[in-house]
């Protein structure tokens, strides 16, 4: 019997063609087929979920500080010490007793790719004694490298880190046991676009991604809560195999489709989270917010006087309607002194637009922290998002003002804020925050001299740069300088009781004096 070819086409849901004519109504129910709901990515335990991870793997881990950290999966890895020589990619490594700090302590990590060493003493010690390698990467660049990896983009150009050790290849990747540098990073390609310089960065793709979700369904769709989104979304997209631990696992159809942050197509396995959530820095308002006093967050004695002066003067930088990002320490106190007629929206680079005050004790939330890992609240009208979105708005100049601390500032506005000789804590998000100074105004708050009385305003910075020619104003306990990358420093304000001569004696860099020098307050 010869073969018969059957040509089929659809017309209005009817199949036509072939020898004779057949009419078949199509139900078009494939998108809601019950067979699709038979997909179940839930595995019975974390140990089962990580069982196939071999030694030498690259592991992407979500989390920022202790917020949104996949501790259930990390502890499962720690219980399998034969899985070693890992390269771990994360913003930081938690602390000694939580997060990736546990894998550092167990000796299973060979290399970290991170933006911040932070307060993890094990991380710092192992790095500075050559026990692990470290590829320091600016926080926004790290988020974008993972986002690009998940999007199939091999490399991209960013303005962050131009003119710094990240670009020039002077970052210590590995130390010798005696503390000397064994291996330096490689220089990065720089290209000019629109009259600005940009650094080329390569994407990151992980063999495995470990993600912490608030809710996940059996298809792997995930929802993150508040600032626990941070790096979890980008890490989940950039893993070849993504394993999610969820606080709550729900049936298919229970998640509102528009609320899904990480679609199930990226997720391979889902497991129930069994470890609790930690908070790195519990920070409270001493009184209910509406009754709090301005001075409640400041120090006492001489410390009070200096901090009070600098913070109160920094508050004058806010203008009504601004979007502002504040560094940890003194900058975070400035909003306490903003007048009631000025409304400012505060941004935190770990994924919050609309920061509220510190919570009252007992009202803290482990899923709500700022970039300093402190507990915070959300203001009315706030929004939350992933770290990649946060740094997109920073680099593109959507943030009007960034107030940062500093170790040194040069006469041309170069900023050094992230490393001291023999101590490298990491740059965090600072290099991104100063990467677009024409759109985002950068103001530095700091004491005029260091603890030994040495000037911190210099002709040229001696510490590694955070960014070149990026600072436009310096506020110290003695005075206020305006900074121009060509003209240099101009003294525009003096603190009460401070003379021009005192400022000159405590400032290495030369400076001009404005025709009319005002009072700081």
């Amino acid at each position: 019997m010869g073969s018969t070819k059957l040509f089929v086409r659809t017309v209005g849901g009817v199949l036509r063609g072939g020898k004779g004519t057949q009419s078949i109504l199509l139900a078009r129910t494939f998108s809601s087929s019950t067979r699709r709901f038979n997909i179940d990515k839930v595995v019975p335990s974390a140990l089962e979920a990580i069982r196939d991870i071999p030694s030498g793997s690259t592991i992407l881990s979500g989390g920022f500080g202790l917020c949104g950290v996949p501790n259930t999966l990390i502890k499962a890895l720690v219980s399998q010490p034969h899985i070693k020589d890992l390269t771990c990619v994360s913003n930081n490594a938690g602390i000694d007793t939580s997060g990736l700090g546990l894998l550092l302590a167990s000796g299973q990590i060979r290399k970290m790719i991170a933006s911040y060493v932070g307060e993890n003493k094990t991380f710092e010690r192992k790095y500075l004694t050559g026990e692990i390698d470290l590829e320091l990467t600016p926080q926004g660049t790290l988020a974008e490298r993972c986002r690009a990896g998940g999007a199939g983009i091999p490399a991209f150009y960013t303005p962050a880190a131009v003119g710094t050790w990240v670009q020039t290849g002077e970052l210590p990747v590995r130390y010798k046991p005696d503390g000397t540098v064994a291996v330096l990073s490689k220089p990065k390609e720089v290209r000019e676009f629109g009259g600005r310089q940009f650094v080329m960065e390569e994407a990151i793709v992980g063999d495995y991604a470990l993600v912490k979700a608030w809710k996940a369904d059996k298809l792997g769709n995930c929802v993150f809560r508040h600032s626990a989104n941070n790096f979890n979304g980008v890490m989940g997209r950039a893993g070849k195999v993504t394993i999610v631990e969820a606080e709550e696992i729900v049936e298919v159809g229970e998640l509102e489709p528009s609320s899904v942050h990480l679609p199930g197509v990226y997720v391979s396995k889902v497991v129930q989270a069994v470890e609790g959530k930690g908070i790195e820095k519990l920070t409270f308002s001493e009184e209910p917010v509406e009754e709090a006093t301005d001075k409640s967050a400041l120090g006492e004695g001489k410390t009070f006087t200096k901090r009070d002066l600098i913070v109160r003067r920094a508050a004058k930088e806010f203008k009504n309607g601004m979007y502002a990002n504040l560094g940890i320490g003194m900058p975070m106190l400035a909003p306490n002194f903003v007048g009631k007629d000025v409304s400012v929206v505060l941004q935190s680079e770990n994924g919050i637009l609309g920061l509220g005050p510190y919570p009252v004790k007992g009202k803290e939330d482990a899923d709500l922290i700022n970039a300093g890992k402190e507990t915070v609240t959300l203001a009315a009208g706030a929004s939350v998002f992933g770290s990649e979105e946060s740094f997109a708005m920073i680099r593109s100049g959507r943030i009007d003002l960034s107030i940062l601390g500093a170790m040194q500032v040069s006469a041309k506005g170069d900023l050094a804020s992230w490393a001291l000789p023999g101590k490298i804590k990491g740059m965090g998000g600072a290099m991104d925050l100063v990467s677009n100074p024409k759109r985002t105004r950068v103001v530095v708050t700091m004491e005029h001299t260091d603890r030994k009385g040495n000037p911190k305003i210099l002709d040229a910075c001696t510490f590694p740069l955070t960014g070149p020619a990026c600072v436009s104003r310096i506020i110290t306990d003695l005075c206020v300088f305006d900074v121009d990358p060509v003209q240099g420093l101009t003294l525009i304000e003096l603190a009460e009781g401070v003379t021009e001569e005192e400022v000159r004696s405590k400032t290495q860099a030369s400076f001009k004096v404005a025709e009319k020098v005002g009072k700081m307050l």
Side-chain angles (χ1 to χ4, degrees):
M1 183 175 179
S3 63
T4 301
K5 293 183 178 179
L6 181 65
F7 299 93
V8 181
R9 64 188 177 91
T10 64
V11 180
V14 178
L15 291 176
R16 302 187 185 278
K19 294 176 66 178
T21 301
Q22 303 177 53
S23 296
I24 304 174
L25 290 176
L26 297 183
R28 287 191 179 275
T29 59
F30 64 88
S31 65
S32 58
S33 165
T34 55
R35 287 181 297 172
R36 180 181 176 188
F37 292 164
N38 287 335
I39 299 174
D40 190 346
K41 297 181 180 179
V42 178
V43 294
S45 69
L47 194 59
E48 177 68 23
I50 60 96
R51 178 173 293 176
D52 296 331
I53 297 179
S55 294
S57 296
T58 294
I59 307 289
L60 314 182
S61 180
F64 182 90
L66 301 184
C67 181
V69 176
N71 276 312
T72 301
L73 294 168
I74 289 171
K75 287 194 173 183
L77 276 174
V78 172
S79 73
Q80 304 297 302
H82 65 279
I83 303 175
K84 54 188 179 180
D85 294 327
L86 300 173
T87 294
C88 289
V89 183
S90 182
N91 177 67
N92 58 295
I95 58 177
D96 288 336
T97 58
S98 186
L100 291 178
L102 296 172
L103 283 171
L104 282 168
S106 67
Q108 292 168 265
I109 295 178
R110 176 182 56 82
K111 179 181 179 180
M112 283 291 305
I113 301 176
S115 78
Y116 192 61
V117 176
E119 288 70 41
N120 190 318
K121 298 300 182 184
T122 300
F123 191 175
E124 184 177 33
R125 175 180 56 79
K126 290 201 167 195
Y127 170 50
L128 294 177
T129 58
E131 294 182 54
I132 62 168
D133 291 359
L134 173 59
E135 183 180 327
L136 271 173
T137 303
Q139 191 178 135
T141 299
L142 180 63
E144 193 66 13
R145 289 179 70 185
C146 294
R147 190 207 65 81
I153 298 172
F156 59 92
Y157 288 91
T158 175
V162 170
T164 73
W165 281 6
V166 175
Q167 178 224 309
T168 58
E170 297 173 80
L171 283 171
V173 173
R174 183 186 309 137
Y175 282 91
K176 297 177 183 178
D178 64 4
T180 58
V181 177
V183 179
L184 288 174
S185 59
K186 296 180 180 179
K188 298 181 185 292
E189 177 188 330
V190 177
R191 283 189 62 183
E192 187 174 299
F193 299 92
R196 297 176 61 199
Q197 290 191 319
F198 294 78
V199 176
M200 193 189 82
E201 292 281 358
E202 295 184 9
I204 293 174
V205 176
D207 299 312
Y208 295 84
L210 309 183
V211 169
K212 173 68 177 290
W214 177 37
K215 294 181 180 181
D217 67 17
K218 293 181 178 180
L219 284 173
N221 296 308
C222 296
V223 177
F224 306 116
R225 183 173 179 272
H226 296 332
S227 61
N229 190 333
N230 53 63
F231 279 85
N232 277 299
V234 288
M235 297 302 193
R237 288 170 172 81
K240 296 176 184 176
V241 176
T242 293
I243 307 171
V244 172
E245 65 170 79
E247 295 175 43
E248 184 179 349
I249 299 175
V250 301
E251 295 295 330
V252 172
E254 290 188 35
L255 296 179
E256 171 63 39
S258 60
S259 72
V260 172
H261 295 115
L262 179 66
V265 68
Y266 295 104
V267 176
S268 307
K269 302 174 186 179
V270 176
V271 66
Q272 178 66 51
V274 296
E275 295 293 331
K277 297 185 284 190
I279 298 175
E280 192 165 343
K281 296 179 182 179
L282 283 165
T283 313
F284 305 113
S285 289
E286 294 183 2
E287 304 167 13
V289 173
E290 63 271 15
E291 300 175 8
T293 60
D294 288 345
K295 294 184 179 181
S296 62
L298 294 172
E300 298 176 355
K302 292 183 178 180
T303 301
F304 169 85
T305 302
K306 289 183 178 182
R307 286 164 60 91
D308 182 49
L309 178 63
I310 296 169
V311 169
R312 286 177 181 273
R313 177 56 186 82
K316 294 171 68 175
E317 298 298 311
F318 295 118
K319 307 302 178 187
N320 195 45
M322 268 187 172
Y323 291 91
N325 182 289
L326 307 179
I328 60 175
M330 285 190 289
M332 285 297 296
L333 302 176
N336 292 328
F337 300 93
V338 175
K340 293 183 178 180
D341 58 335
V342 176
S343 179
V344 177
V345 179
L346 300 180
Q347 194 251 22
S348 187
E349 60 260 36
N350 59 313
I352 298 175
L353 187 65
L355 275 174
Y358 295 132
V360 176
K361 191 170 185 179
K363 300 293 185 180
E364 64 273 12
D365 187 331
D367 292 333
L368 273 177
I369 65 167
N370 63 18
K373 287 89 172 179
E374 300 170 320
T375 46
V376 292
T377 60
L378 297 177
S383 58
V384 292
F385 32 81
S387 294
E388 75 285 3
E389 179 75 22
S390 185
F391 283 100
M393 61 182 71
I394 289 169
R395 288 189 305 268
S396 63
R398 307 288 177 169
I399 305 302
D400 302 299
L401 173 69
S402 179
I403 304 181
L404 302 172
M407 297 171 182
Q408 295 176 341
V409 182
S410 81
K412 294 183 178 180
D414 301 336
L415 172 66
S417 67
W418 67 276
L420 292 167
K423 286 189 176 183
I424 295 182
K425 293 291 188 181
M427 66 288 292
M431 289 185 179
D432 301 271
L433 284 164
V434 302
S435 67
N436 195 351
K438 289 187 177 180
R439 295 283 299 274
T440 300
R441 190 162 175 265
V442 177
V443 174
V444 162
T445 57
M446 65 179 186
E447 293 186 15
H448 207 92
T449 60
D450 64 20
R451 293 178 181 178
K452 296 181 179 179
N454 298 314
K456 296 170 70 173
I457 303 174
L458 312 172
D459 290 320
C461 295
T462 58
F463 297 157
L465 292 188
T466 304
C470 59
V471 177
S472 60
R473 178 163 287 176
I474 307 168
I475 301 171
T476 78
D477 52 305
L478 300 183
C479 66
V480 179
F481 284 117
D482 272 348
V483 190
D484 183 275
V486 177
Q487 300 298 324
L489 301 170
T490 300
L491 178 68
I492 63 168
E493 295 176 19
L494 285 170
E496 185 176 355
V498 176
T499 64
E500 178 187 326
E501 289 70 25
E502 181 181 359
V503 173
R504 289 195 185 278
S505 70
K506 296 179 179 179
T507 306
Q508 185 206 62
S510 59
F511 57 86
K512 300 176 183 178
V513 179
E515 290 185 10
K516 184 177 181 181
V517 176
K519 292 183 179 180
M520 283 183 63
L521 293 179

